[in-house]
Amino acid sequence: MTNVLTALSTSLDGFIAGAGDTREQPLGVGGDRLFTWFFDGDTPSRHAPGFNMSAVSAKFFDEGVERVGAAITGRRTYDISDAWGGSGPMPGIPLFVVTHQVPDTVPAGDPPYTFVTDGFERAVLQATDAAAGKDVFLQGASIVQQCLRAGLMDELIISLVPVVLGDGVRLLDGLDPGSVELEIVGVLDAPGVTHLTYRVMK
């Protein structure tokens, strides 16, 4: 069964990027500190060349990647990431970009990006179909928040890093009090990070 989920590195104060995130500095001020666990070990990822993590984190990361069959992102994340150069946030995985207008120039990719102009709910349907029984990965705070509000999200995976950013892009900003109920289903302690898995109660 396909689950709609996100898996993001997050600071203790709830940010997935620092202040002032731009195309030139996509992680914002200090945001690179959220990803030191990708490079602080001696176990290479099977799916991300250049990532050398602790053995615990590498297993967690690779098993997560293997679950995903399609991804969804918003236009702001797409622009700030410079369209990932055509490779998407997860190379080889179909990417659906929720936007009001298709960009004039789109980098070539395999598979090519799909731009969805009739809302995130339509993107979830298309991505679920493309995932062919695997999971759908959400990239970016806005898409996560929209899917939570609409009751379309199944799982929230937080890789909690012992860093305080103070400002930036907050993952769970703007949600109404009591609108989201979570059940913790997994806690995995690793060097420099704690991987937390929550089920979204519906």
Side-chain angles (χ1 to χ4, degrees), residues 74-198:
R75 180 61 184 273
R76 182 176 184 274
T77 301
Y78 171 90
D79 287 340
I80 285 176
S81 69
D82 201 18
W84 294 280
S87 67
M90 303 178 77
I93 300 298
L95 177 67
F96 296 82
V97 183
V98 179
T99 182
H100 294 296
Q101 185 173 353
V102 177
D104 294 331
T105 304
V106 179
D110 184 21
Y113 296 157
T114 299
F115 294 90
V116 182
T117 58
D118 49 354
F120 71 91
E121 292 174 319
R122 178 63 179 162
V124 170
L125 289 173
Q126 290 182 258
T128 298
D129 185 58
K134 287 192 168 186
D135 292 339
V136 173
F137 171 72
L138 306 178
Q139 176 79 18
S142 176
I143 290 296
V144 170
Q145 293 160 18
Q146 290 179 71
C147 284
L148 279 171
R149 291 188 188 103
L152 296 177
M153 192 165 163
D154 301 297
E155 201 168 315
L156 177 66
I157 301 171
I158 300 293
S159 291
L160 190 65
V161 181
V163 167
V164 175
L165 293 182
D167 196 5
V169 179
R170 196 182 294 276
L171 176 59
L172 301 178
D173 202 17
L175 298 172
D176 292 334
S179 62
V180 178
E181 298 292 337
L182 303 172
E183 177 188 5
I184 191 161
V185 294
V187 178
L188 185 63
D189 191 28
V193 62
T194 302
H195 305 292
L196 305 168
T197 302
Y198 298 91

Side-chain angles (χ1 to χ4, degrees), residues 13-39:
D13 49 349
F15 297 102
I16 60 171
D21 57 328
T22 63
R23 184 172 294 184
E24 292 72 31
Q25 190 177 25
L27 297 177
V29 177
D32 57 323
R33 298 170 66 199
L34 299 176
F35 300 94
T36 56
W37 63 275
F38 284 174
F39 309 102

